[in-house]
Amino acid sequence: MSTQSTPILSVLTEDLLIRVNEKLVQDSDRKIWRLICKEFHRVDSITRKTLRVLHVEFLLTLLKNYTNLHTLDLSVCPCIEDGTITLLLHRVDHSMWARNLKFLNLSRANGLKFSGLEMLVGACKGLESVDVSYCCGFGDREAAAISGCGGLKELRMDKCLGVSDVGLAKIVVGCGRLERLSLKWCMEISYLGVELLCKKCLELKFLDVSYLKVTSDWLRSIAALSKLEDLAMVGCSLVNDVGLQFLENGCPLLQKIDVSRCDCVSSSGLTALIRGHNGLLQIDAGHAISEFSGNFVECMQELKNLNAIIIDGARVSDTIFQTISSNCKSLIEIGLSKCTGGHQYGNYAADSCRNLLRLKLESCNMVTEKSLGHLGLHCALLEELDLTDCFGVNDRGLERLSRCSKLLCLKLGLCTNISDTGLFYIASNCSQLHELDLYRCTGIGDDGLAALSSGCKKLRKLNLSYCFEVTDKGMKSLGYLEELSDLELRALDKITGAGLAALVTRCKRLAYLDLKYCERVDDTGFWALAYYSRNLRQINLSYCSITDMALCMLMGNLTRLQDADLVQLTNVTVQGI
């Protein structure tokens, strides 16, 4: 009998390897899998559905290797241009990588114009979703190229400043199956374009016209969209109660409405809208309505399925809020930032809404240890909590709040009564935290960061601006947060180049870094930054002590950089710039 062992790979069929690969959720795990052996790398290549390209120079090779993609994200390749697309289509067999492509993200690809878009759309026949947001040079010709996607269901054109009614007309005629469309900040779009949209794209379920000159005439046309479920009109200063009354008898399937920062809307207009849509799931009227009438509160009681209400900046008495929260049992999101008139918002929210996931109480001065205790006791599912500028928050309150062990996002900016002790409680019990804001929490120092680095290994976003007690020791602790991607360190005058170097040598995923006013960080820190932080896309070095040589090294090495703030660099000369 042979004693020779059988190699494990010989008994693992391709089907089994594919099933194992599909169980790997984290990017880091998939990366390790690819590096084990050629067979595992091959399995990853044939099963990968999503690709986010970080370096445009690797695009050709990647598309040769990954031929079954559904999603291609080029949003962090701002230098992609028409020539890149020409090269791509001639060097790589696009019948392979483009055949299954459904979702294409070209956000911020400002170098891509009509010719490149036309070629790309022609190659990717099955596209269903395209994002060209923040392509500020994107105009009517480029919109005409997009109109070639006859099967398009979703299009995002946020801040495409050159698109007018002509470009929109091209799109709605060519893409009549659109279900989701965002025109946010497309300032050249007028009533004529939207009227045609509402006549041609009858399948629309989501429409965002935020910051446009939306009038009652617009809403009369929009009301005819029989399948519309979600309408966003943030910052539309011309929207008024008359316009909302048109919606009362239209859009029968409407579930979500956002009229935040619409200055001419009152509670009577919102009441009319609610009367016609008792199946509403989400209402956002933040900073739009100052006070609520009795009719509004009465109508709110009929919204049994409402799961989100945001009324930031309004005067809301305890009685009104108690009525709303006790009747709308399905609420999972409540926004009460900068609200006045109540003293027990936190208590009522905790007592009535046990399934709450998101709660915003920014600048609510009545938040106390007791209300945080209620949240900790009754809201075990809470994931996001905003307590910015709530001076009643202290260490004892954070201890009680730490029972919310599922917290993913916690904002404590301007809470000046908390210290390392309170942060220790949070770090000990809230291990799932992804985002933490400690802006101007002057009681936070190195010991708190040590606790944080030990207990919150999944932290991705952290704001420590103006936490003056943080030193290089704290930076060294932060180095153990290897998933950190966004970090704000503004005005930390006790950290030096050594501290920055200790941080960046371990935090390889940093994409956003704010070092404004960090005057003691010298070139040793910036050299380390240039060498280790190749994923950086945004950086603020204003008022730093960087020199010509270090600046040149940074700008040369950080090839993914999209935005750099370089104000008042006293050690940098004209030659350096």
Side-chain angles (χ1 to χ4, degrees):
M1 184 175 176
S2 175
T3 59
Q4 204 171 26
S5 61
T6 304
I8 189 171
L9 286 182
S10 66
V11 297
L12 292 176
T13 64
E14 182 178 282
D15 182 57
L16 284 174
L17 289 174
I18 289 174
R19 291 171 66 183
V20 171
N21 185 63
E22 287 173 347
K23 299 292 183 182
L24 303 176
V25 179
Q26 299 294 331
D27 288 340
S28 56
D29 295 335
R30 295 180 70 91
K31 183 177 181 179
I32 293 171
W33 167 275
R34 291 195 298 272
L35 295 174
I36 290 174
C37 64
K38 289 182 178 179
E39 180 63 12
F40 283 16
H41 188 280
R42 188 186 68 82
V43 168
D44 179 72
S45 297
I46 62 177
T47 57
R48 179 182 279 263
K49 303 298 182 186
T50 300
L51 179 64
R52 188 169 190 244
V53 181
L54 301 179
H55 278 288
V56 70
E57 56 266 34
F58 297 142
L59 183 58
L60 299 181
T61 303
L62 289 170
L63 291 181
K64 284 179 181 177
N65 293 336
Y66 299 109
T67 57
N68 292 312
L69 294 175
H70 284 181
T71 302
L72 178 59
D73 186 349
L74 300 174
S75 61
V76 291
C77 297
C79 55
I80 192 169
E81 56 185 9
D82 293 352
T84 311
I85 303 301
T86 302
L87 192 63
L88 176 63
L89 297 179
H90 282 84
R91 293 275 186 91
V92 184
D93 184 3
H94 63 268
S95 65
M96 298 294 291
W97 65 266
R99 62 185 176 183
N100 297 319
L101 203 63
K102 304 291 185 186
F103 308 98
L104 179 61
N105 189 343
L106 297 170
S107 176
R108 294 183 170 83
N110 287 306
L112 202 56
K113 303 300 180 186
F114 168 76
S115 177
L117 279 169
E118 188 177 44
M119 288 187 288
L120 200 52
V121 166
C124 305
K125 302 289 187 183
L127 280 177
E128 295 181 0
S129 175
V130 174
D131 187 347
V132 289
S133 299
Y134 303 100
C135 294
C136 298
F138 190 96
D140 290 339
R141 288 195 73 211
E142 287 71 28
I146 294 291
S147 70
C149 300
L152 203 62
K153 294 182 179 179
E154 179 177 16
L155 177 61
R156 299 193 67 89
M157 296 198 299
D158 299 351
K159 217 165 189 177
C160 289
L161 303 178
V163 176
S164 70
D165 292 334
V166 175
L168 181 58
K170 293 279 188 181
I171 287 170
V172 301
V173 170
C175 308
R177 295 164 59 187
L178 272 178
E179 295 179 4
R180 300 178 62 84
L181 178 63
S182 180
L183 300 171
K184 186 188 299 183
W185 285 307
C186 292
M187 307 305 293
E188 296 301 314
I189 301 293
S190 74
Y191 168 65
L192 292 176
V194 171
E195 183 184 30
L196 182 62
L197 169 70
C198 296
K199 289 179 179 178
K200 293 290 186 180
C201 297
L202 301 180
E203 301 296 316
L204 269 182
K205 296 179 181 179
F206 167 81
L207 179 61
D208 190 341
V209 289
S210 297
Y211 303 102
L212 304 190
K213 297 173 183 177
V214 179
T215 64
S216 297
D217 289 333
W218 287 47
L219 294 180
R220 184 191 289 113
S221 295
I222 290 171
L225 293 171
S226 60
K227 296 185 179 182
L228 194 67
E229 298 175 358
D230 188 344
L231 177 59
M233 301 185 291
V234 180
C236 295
S237 57
L238 300 179
V239 170
N240 56 26
D241 293 345
V242 175
L244 293 185
Q245 286 166 9
F246 284 126
L247 293 178
E248 178 182 358
N249 300 312
C251 303
L253 301 182
L254 195 64
Q255 296 178 0
K256 303 176 184 178
I257 184 72
D258 188 345
V259 291
S260 55
R261 300 189 184 279
C262 292
D263 302 332
C264 295
V265 169
S266 73
S267 62
S268 62
L270 207 53
T271 301
L273 178 67
I274 293 171
R275 266 200 308 264
H277 303 88
N278 56 17
L280 278 173
L281 299 180
Q282 295 182 19
I283 298 174
D284 190 339
H287 303 288
I289 298 173
S290 56
E291 287 197 69
F292 296 100
S293 64
N295 287 337
F296 174 82
V297 178
E298 187 177 333
C299 283
M300 284 293 298
Q301 296 179 50
E302 302 301 317
L303 300 179
K304 301 300 182 183
N305 297 320
L306 191 71
N307 59 42
I309 181 167
I310 299 173
I311 46 179
D312 301 341
R315 180 172 179 78
V316 184
S317 68
D318 286 334
T319 304
I320 290 177
F321 182 67
Q322 186 179 23
T323 302
I324 293 172
S325 60
S326 59
N327 283 279
C328 303
K329 297 289 188 180
S330 300
L331 282 172
I332 60 172
E333 179 176 2
I334 299 175
L336 294 166
S337 295
K338 299 184 179 179
C339 284
T340 59
H343 296 78
Q344 301 186 61
Y345 296 151
N347 293 354
Y348 292 138
D351 293 339
S352 301
C353 308
R354 301 297 176 91
N355 295 318
L356 204 61
L357 298 180
R358 294 176 289 277
L359 178 61
K360 297 180 181 179
L361 297 170
E362 179 187 352
S363 301
C364 289
N365 294 327
M366 298 306 169
V367 174
T368 61
E369 287 181 23
K370 183 179 178 181
S371 54
L372 293 179
H374 273 272
L375 289 174
L377 195 60
H378 299 301
C379 296
L381 301 178
L382 196 64
E383 294 180 356
E384 296 181 26
L385 180 61
D386 188 346
L387 297 172
T388 303
D389 197 22
C390 294
F391 61 74
V393 177
N394 56 23
D395 291 340
R396 181 66 175 165
L398 292 184
E399 181 182 13
R400 296 179 176 184
L401 179 65
S402 66
R403 295 173 187 166
C404 299
S405 58
K406 295 184 182 296
L407 272 176
L408 300 177
C409 174
L410 179 60
K411 297 187 177 183
L412 299 170
L414 296 168
C415 293
T416 54
N417 293 321
I418 65 173
S419 69
D420 290 340
T421 303
L423 194 54
F424 173 80
Y425 293 128
I426 295 296
S428 299
N429 297 309
C430 303
S431 60
Q432 303 300 311
L433 265 185
H434 286 177
E435 181 176 353
L436 179 62
D437 187 349
L438 297 170
Y439 175 79
R440 289 189 184 274
C441 293
T442 52
I444 299 298
D446 295 339
D447 292 340
L449 298 188
L452 201 62
S453 65
S454 175
C456 300
K457 294 292 188 181
K458 296 183 179 180
L459 203 62
R460 296 172 188 167
K461 295 184 178 183
L462 178 62
N463 189 346
L464 292 171
S465 294
Y466 301 97
C467 294
F468 299 116
E469 297 304 312
V470 174
T471 70
D472 287 349
K473 182 181 177 182
M475 292 297 101
K476 186 176 181 180
S477 296
L478 290 184
Y480 293 98
L481 298 173
E482 295 184 1
E483 294 192 23
L484 205 59
S485 63
D486 292 49
L487 182 59
E488 297 185 50
L489 303 173
R490 186 172 295 196
L492 300 194
D493 54 9
K494 293 183 179 180
I495 66 171
T496 67
L500 181 60
L503 169 72
V504 300
T505 50
R506 297 182 65 95
C507 293
K508 303 290 182 62
R509 297 190 179 187
L510 279 178
Y512 171 73
L513 181 62
D514 188 345
L515 293 169
K516 186 176 182 178
Y517 294 120
C518 292
E519 297 175 352
R520 293 188 62 199
V521 175
D522 57 19
D523 282 356
T524 57
F526 296 121
W527 289 335
L529 188 65
Y531 185 78
Y532 292 105
S533 299
R534 303 297 180 92
N535 289 319
L536 271 176
R537 295 195 294 275
Q538 289 180 272
I539 192 168
N540 191 340
L541 300 176
S542 299
Y543 298 92
C544 285
S545 301
I546 191 170
T547 65
D548 287 350
M549 186 178 294
L551 182 62
C552 288
M553 183 177 289
L554 268 178
M555 295 299 108
N557 281 18
L558 304 183
T559 55
R560 299 173 192 172
L561 201 62
Q562 296 177 352
D563 186 15
D565 289 339
L566 306 173
V567 177
Q568 201 66 32
L569 301 182
T570 55
N571 293 336
V572 173
T573 67
V574 174
Q575 287 75 17
I577 295 294

